Amino acid sequence: MNAPAGSPETMLAARVHGPRDVRLDEITVPAPGLGEALVRIGACGICGSDLGYIAQGGLGGVEPLKAPLPIGHESAGTVVAVGDGVRGVSPGMRVAINPDRAYIGGGGPDGAMAPFLRVQGAEIGETLFALPDGLSFAHASLAEPLSVGLHGLRVANACASDRIAILGAGPIGLCTLVMAQHLGARDIAIFDRVPERLERARALGAGLAINVAEKSLPDALGRFHGAGERFGAPFVGTDVFVDCAGSAAALAEVVSVAKYRARICVIALHHKPLALDLWRVMANELSLSGSIADSRAAEFGETIAMLAEGGRDLSALVSHAYDFSHFQEALEMAADPARAAKVVLTFGEGL
């Protein structure tokens, strides 16, 4: 397949070759086929899962890769060409990209850490979301992690009146905080061990931001959300817990202090099995659910609409932007929780 007119024939694309082996490979710029669009990327965020794929040498790190793994799934850019059968999408459209349908950057054949991205099943409102001119590509790329947080909250049936606690103040935890506020929640607590992350949470409007290395989660939540006793055991008044940390100890502690009919949603990756107190799950009728956010077109669109409205200062969420030519430096920054929140790669017009 040849590159579309006006595009280079080759490009550099970030691909994982093995554990701790990520390279910028020179590959052919794809031409869009049936039902596909080609997007010139303006910005692509670096996700913790990208860093995990690099460290593990693949999606699971169990079997060697049969082919290099393209990475990058938090992206926005400009449509430059469309294939046959595509309706409602035309060159020049500014779009954010929902990676779910073709597992973009997550096991599929294409990744967004490259100047051009082929989008299979190109469809407005499903894989592509039109952007207003005033919304930068860097901020539009936040639709992907923000919609991850929104999906988890929706799985937990979170609403404006809920008292919410978020475990972990990394990028997904901060995105969950923003989307909990979008739903109207106000009594939101967030927990982490990194002071700089907690400062970002406070800047984004967290009602309580606690360092669990210094203060007890149950004690802090008991003061903030209220406390009580059931069957001789203490509980906190939190309605919804969202696990964005992946800490087995923290999740077990939540189960031990969750109130009657509290809801717990796990967004974080847990790499090992966890023993839970199932007596408490039963006796307190706890709801425990997972959220992988791989079918969330409606939530993606809702997030884009929120970003387009403006009015929210998300500067504490995007900590760094690097031109793609500084790829390795950007990865190193993204891996430093004390300095970085969301790190975004830009491609000439991302900001």
Side-chain angles (χ1 to χ4, degrees):
M1 299 173 68
N2 297 320
S7 300
E9 293 186 358
T10 63
M11 64 180 181
L12 295 179
R15 303 196 302 177
V16 175
H17 289 255
R20 296 170 296 282
D21 182 5
V22 60
R23 309 174 196 174
L24 293 182
D25 295 328
E26 186 171 6
I27 65 172
T28 301
V29 175
L34 180 66
E36 299 175 347
L38 186 70
V39 177
R40 183 175 66 246
I41 297 298
C44 179
I46 299 175
C47 178
S49 62
D50 297 318
L51 301 177
Y53 299 155
I54 294 168
Q56 297 166 170
L59 297 176
V62 178
E63 297 181 0
L65 290 171
K66 294 182 175 62
L69 174 70
I71 58 173
H73 58 274
E74 303 176 357
S75 62
T78 303
V79 176
V80 293
V82 297
D84 292 339
V86 176
R87 302 288 180 265
V89 181
S90 57
M93 291 183 66
R94 304 175 73 252
V95 295
I97 301 158
N98 176 3
D100 294 348
R101 183 174 290 181
Y103 295 101
I104 293 171
D110 302 285
M113 288 187 189
F116 295 90
L117 172 68
R118 175 181 55 184
V119 178
Q120 299 180 37
E123 182 180 350
I124 291 294
E126 287 289 337
T127 52
L128 300 174
F129 291 80
L131 303 176
D133 290 339
L135 182 61
S136 72
F137 290 132
H139 279 96
S141 71
L142 293 174
E144 199 284 332
L146 287 167
S147 64
V148 168
L150 178 59
H151 186 77
L153 290 164
R154 287 268 161 74
V155 167
N157 294 314
C159 62
S161 61
D162 281 332
R163 293 160 291 187
I164 297 175
I166 301 169
L167 308 182
I172 293 298
L174 296 178
C175 284
T176 302
L177 166 63
V178 170
M179 299 316 291
Q181 293 168 330
H182 165 71
L183 294 178
R186 291 294 173 263
D187 296 330
I188 307 170
I190 192 164
F191 298 86
D192 206 289
R193 292 179 176 272
V194 180
E196 292 82 0
R197 284 181 165 181
L198 294 167
E199 283 301 315
R200 293 186 183 280
R202 295 184 187 102
L204 288 167
L208 181 71
I210 293 295
N211 189 329
V212 292
E214 299 173 354
K215 296 182 180 179
S216 159
L217 179 148
D219 289 347
L221 280 179
R223 290 192 298 271
F224 189 58
H225 286 161
E229 186 175 296
R230 176 176 166 82
F231 297 142
F235 67 80
V236 298
T238 307
D239 299 297
V240 175
F241 296 87
V242 186
D243 174 17
C244 302
S247 165
L251 186 56
E253 186 172 45
V254 162
V255 170
S256 74
V257 299
K259 71 172 188 174
Y260 178 64
R261 291 191 174 176
R263 290 101 74 197
I264 304 168
C265 184
V266 179
I267 296 179
L269 290 172
H270 283 260
H271 297 287
K272 295 181 180 180
L274 167 63
L276 289 178
D277 187 343
L278 295 179
W279 185 90
R280 291 189 184 275
V281 174
M282 177 276 296
N284 289 327
E285 295 191 0
L286 303 181
S287 295
L288 177 62
S289 56
S291 171
I292 195 171
D294 68 351
S295 181
R296 49 169 163 160
E299 291 143 335
F300 205 100
E302 183 177 344
T303 302
I304 288 291
M306 182 200 76
L307 290 168
E309 288 175 1
R312 286 297 310 271
D313 182 4
L314 299 180
S315 57
L317 185 54
V318 180
S319 61
H320 299 83
Y322 289 87
D323 186 82
F324 187 53
S325 60
H326 296 280
F327 174 70
Q328 291 293 343
E329 185 180 352
L331 288 182
E332 292 172 6
M333 179 59 71
D336 186 342
R339 293 191 294 163
K342 178 56 63 180
V343 176
V344 177
L345 294 165
T346 61
F347 295 77
E349 54 177 341
L351 300 176

